[in-house]
Amino acid sequence: MSTSVATVPHTAVGTDPHAESADYFEKRSLKKGSVSWVMLCGLGVAYAISGDFSGWNYGIAEGGWVGMLVAFIVMGAMYLFMSFGLAEMSTAMPTAGAGYAFARRAMGRVGGALTGFAILVDFTICPAAISLFIADYVHALGLFANVPSALIVAVFFVVFIALQIVGVGEALKVTFGITLVAVAALVIFAVGIAPSFSVAHLFDIAPSAGATELLPFGVAGVVSALPYGMWLFLGVEGVPLAAEESAEPSRDMPRGIIGAMALLFVTGAAALMLTTGGAGAAFTGTAAAPLVDTLNEVGAPLLATVVNYAGLAGLVASFFSTIYSASRQAFALSRAGYLPKFLSYTGERKTPFVALTVFGVIEFALAVGVANGSALLNMAVFAACVSYAMMNLSHILLRRNEPEMPRAFRAPCGVALTSISLVLSAVALVSTFFVDVVAAALTLAVLMVLMAYFFLYARYHLVGNAPDEEFAALAAAEAELA
């Protein structure tokens, strides 16, 4: 994609954006060819692998084992169907803007801004939440008992942001290795818990009045469990953010994101089935560390210790990958003028060191200021659901309005599956208010502030020849010719 467009069509929001020089983009470029499809697949798993070790199990307390199973299947379908659409759009528009760029082309600058900000908020809040879980894990293991959690969180941010500044290839190799350790922990857990598995354990929650053993809290419990079903996949949609750093996006992006989804279905199903069947639904639904606590409950403390240490790797992998995605979304939005342009500067290593540093500070401040990992994750889930709805809608609109757009990969069944995912993402968005109305309302307020910034300032300072804007300008020019 070139970095200059002669004329960018006027839109309903603000004046025509101006074009920047080649020097502007030279200072804002990522390293092409740093990431293979295997690394992308590992990145996708890394985003969500920490969800297997904690958090998801509270969905059992909300809806029972069957309710959580329904949530896992329904939310898994939402992510899978959305992934097909993302894979298609990322081969047609391989840019670091990813979901924002797709929505920008499909729905204009307002739709692009809302989608980009929702993705940014999601991936900014996630590492803050995960860093708190890491500090809790470290203390639970008896490590650095006298060191404050804030200091542990600070060390993790400094070390892993520094590593990402050094280079994306090096950073993702480290992430890949850490993710393998986390997957190995799940295998060890499965071997250790298998002898204690019993189907009866899945249904040991006493039903409330008028409910059944299958759904001890009724249909309302299933709805409340939906956000917890998301925890087993949350973040995988960030894979397309690596498109500009991919060796061959037309091949790598579909393989990476769909491969990651396949692996996450296996790991999530194993955690849900084996943990609950090992120690019981009532126990699992309230466990702070479900895999570790389950092994201790069934009398396997040695394996519990091994899984506990390895479980820390899962949290670190998700922490690492969400920092990466926040920086890439901030980079793309800044390069195009939707955020202050200094955030998109890249250094000699072609990494967005300013975005990594600034958002690292914001993420650390969120972690220390809120100091509640679960509340932060609920906020992230709300922002994620907004972005899911917008990205699914983008695929539907692009298929309808631009059927001839070159696509190296085409989502199966056309828009049928992304239409289902759109409906499910809307349901999931509503369900977040059942779980934590304060978290949902706060996140909505943050998105409103960011959109106010767009309408009052950013829309007058957009960069017309940024890659994401060029994709949209090209589509408008082709429409005029047609």
Side-chain angles (χ1 to χ4, degrees), residues 109-207:
R109 296 189 182 111
V110 175
L114 177 57
T115 306
F117 289 149
I119 295 171
L120 182 64
V121 170
D122 173 17
F123 284 118
T124 300
I125 295 174
C126 275
I130 296 169
S131 69
L132 293 172
F133 295 145
I134 289 174
D136 291 343
Y137 236 94
V138 169
H139 283 153
L141 291 170
L143 305 173
F144 307 107
N146 297 321
V147 177
S149 294
L151 182 56
I152 294 174
V153 168
V155 169
F156 270 88
F157 270 110
V158 170
V159 170
F160 287 106
I161 287 176
L163 182 57
Q164 294 203 29
I165 290 175
V166 168
V168 63
E170 295 82 355
L172 293 186
K173 286 175 184 176
V174 171
T175 305
F176 191 80
I178 295 172
T179 303
L180 288 179
V181 174
V183 172
L186 291 172
V187 174
I188 293 171
F189 167 77
V191 172
I193 201 65
S196 303
F197 181 87
S198 172
V199 173
H201 290 164
L202 303 174
F203 309 103
D204 66 354
I205 294 179

Side-chain angles (χ1 to χ4, degrees), residues 288-458:
L291 276 64
V292 175
D293 292 349
T294 294
L295 287 171
N296 280 320
E297 180 72 6
V298 301
L302 180 59
L303 288 180
T305 300
V306 173
V307 171
N308 207 5
Y309 277 95
L312 181 59
L315 290 170
V316 171
S318 294
F319 173 72
F320 199 90
S321 55
T322 50
I323 287 176
Y324 169 86
S325 286
S327 70
R328 268 45 180 190
Q329 186 68 99
F331 164 82
L333 289 168
S334 167
R335 182 176 59 181
Y338 290 80
L339 289 177
K341 295 172 186 175
F342 75 91
L343 290 171
S344 52
Y345 279 121
T346 53
E348 294 181 0
R349 307 286 296 185
K350 296 300 179 184
T351 55
F353 69 96
V354 178
L356 281 164
T357 303
V358 170
F359 277 84
V361 171
I362 294 172
E363 291 152 9
F364 173 74
L366 277 172
V368 175
V370 178
N372 186 324
S374 295
L376 285 169
L377 267 183
N378 288 333
M379 294 175 68
V381 166
F382 179 88
C385 288
V386 172
S387 71
Y388 299 164
M390 297 296 285
M391 289 189 289
N392 282 309
L393 182 57
S394 298
H395 178 258
I396 295 167
L397 292 175
L398 288 172
R399 271 294 188 96
R400 186 192 70 182
N401 298 334
E402 299 187 53
E404 303 304 320
M405 183 172 67
R407 297 162 166 91
F409 171 86
R410 299 183 73 87
C413 302
V415 301
L417 297 184
T418 43
S419 295
I420 294 172
S421 185
L422 172 61
V423 173
L424 292 177
S425 61
V427 172
L429 180 64
V430 173
S431 74
T432 60
F433 287 94
F434 284 77
V435 176
D436 192 337
V437 65
V438 174
L442 286 174
T443 311
L444 179 60
V446 171
L447 289 175
M448 291 174 66
V449 169
L450 289 170
M451 288 305 295
Y453 170 80
F454 167 76
F455 281 110
L456 295 175
Y457 180 84

